[in-house]
Amino acid sequence: SDVCSSDLNLHLDVSDAINVLVHVSKPIDFELSPSQYSDEAVKTTLELCGCDNEEIQAFLRKDKIPGAIWYIYSASEADAIRKILFEVAREKGKPLARNDDPLHNQDCFIDHNLRKRLQQCGINGHSIVQWEGDAVFIPAGSPHQVLNIFDCIKVALDFVSPENISQCFQLTTEFRKLSSAHANREDKLQIKNILYHVMKSL
């Protein structure tokens, strides 16, 4: 289990994952920065993240407290997103090295303006408000990011599904191409070993 205390930048995982939000609460010292946790501030955040009106109204009615907002893109859009992130890096005067990957680097958060730019290129993600007790499924290779609104405690489970084994293989190959100093270069999933032992047990 992990305690969420900050936002999670855009990245993708080598395997499928289920993320369950088991607890949401306002920080003990939330009164010290009321502007961040006010109803109006949270409502604006929900609107900017593209959440639908039903979710916004559920918060305003105090039915429940939103814990986090996920933004998930299809795995098939990963290369197109990479291309745009490379362009943005060049525009900001921060060209990436040859073996760098803007998704694997995990140093970019898609804000409202960048999300509009992606949409203009036909790249549309899905915004999901995660309430306490909700489980979010993230397919292997799907670029995603998380914006935590209040204090959250989550339980995350990674697994390999038969439907996404080819995606796991592709990502393992991508990780090998990263520089030797990159934190994600290590083959943590060991997909070939998993398949070997599955076949052996059969």
Side-chain angles (χ1 to χ4, degrees):
S1 64
D2 301 311
V3 176
C4 298
S5 58
S6 61
D7 304 330
L8 188 60
N9 286 343
L10 188 71
H11 71 291
L12 44 82
D13 296 322
V14 72
S15 64
D16 300 289
I18 290 282
N19 184 292
V20 182
L21 186 57
V22 296
H23 175 75
V24 181
S25 64
K26 290 186 177 181
I28 295 173
D29 60 349
F30 80 95
E31 293 180 353
L32 297 178
S33 54
S35 59
Q36 180 181 351
Y37 303 108
S38 69
D39 288 356
E40 190 59 37
V42 174
K43 177 178 178 286
T44 300
T45 299
L46 293 170
E47 289 173 343
L48 287 175
C49 289
C51 301
D52 62 39
N53 189 56
E54 186 177 326
E55 292 168 322
I56 295 170
Q57 292 306 315
F59 163 69
L60 294 176
R61 289 194 305 266
K62 309 296 183 185
D63 292 348
K64 43 192 175 179
I65 302 175
I69 300 174
W70 290 71
Y71 219 85
I72 304 176
Y73 293 90
S74 169
S76 63
E77 295 175 318
D79 287 338
I81 293 172
R82 273 190 188 94
K83 182 180 177 183
I84 292 173
L85 293 181
F86 271 118
E87 292 174 0
V88 170
R90 282 195 297 271
E91 290 166 6
K92 292 182 176 180
K94 298 178 181 178
L96 298 170
R98 188 177 134 204
N99 289 334
D100 273 352
D101 185 301
L103 289 176
H104 298 320
N105 288 354
Q106 299 185 25
D107 56 6
C108 176
F109 194 89
I110 306 293
D111 60 14
H112 178 64
N113 292 327
L114 188 47
R115 190 176 305 120
K116 283 171 61 177
R117 180 168 174 173
L118 291 171
Q119 289 170 344
Q120 290 169 357
C121 296
I123 303 170
N124 295 294
H126 302 278
S127 61
I128 300 170
V129 179
Q130 189 179 27
W131 311 89
E132 186 173 276
D134 284 354
V136 175
F137 170 67
I138 309 102
S142 296
H144 60 282
Q145 65 183 29
V146 187
L147 173 65
N148 296 298
I149 301 175
F150 295 108
D151 285 354
C152 304
I153 298 175
K154 69 174 184 177
V155 176
L157 172 67
D158 298 332
F159 64 98
V160 176
S161 66
E163 295 81 3
N164 285 326
I165 285 178
S166 60
Q167 193 70 39
C168 296
F169 266 112
Q170 179 184 331
L171 289 168
T172 299
T173 303
E174 285 180 12
F175 289 159
R176 282 202 196 104
K177 296 177 182 177
L178 298 173
S179 67
S180 56
H182 202 289
N184 284 335
R185 182 181 169 85
E186 182 184 352
D187 184 6
K188 298 175 183 176
L189 184 61
Q190 299 284 312
I191 186 67
K192 291 182 179 179
N193 286 339
I194 290 173
L195 289 177
Y196 168 77
H197 287 291
V198 167
M199 297 304 293
K200 186 178 177 182
S201 66
L202 290 174

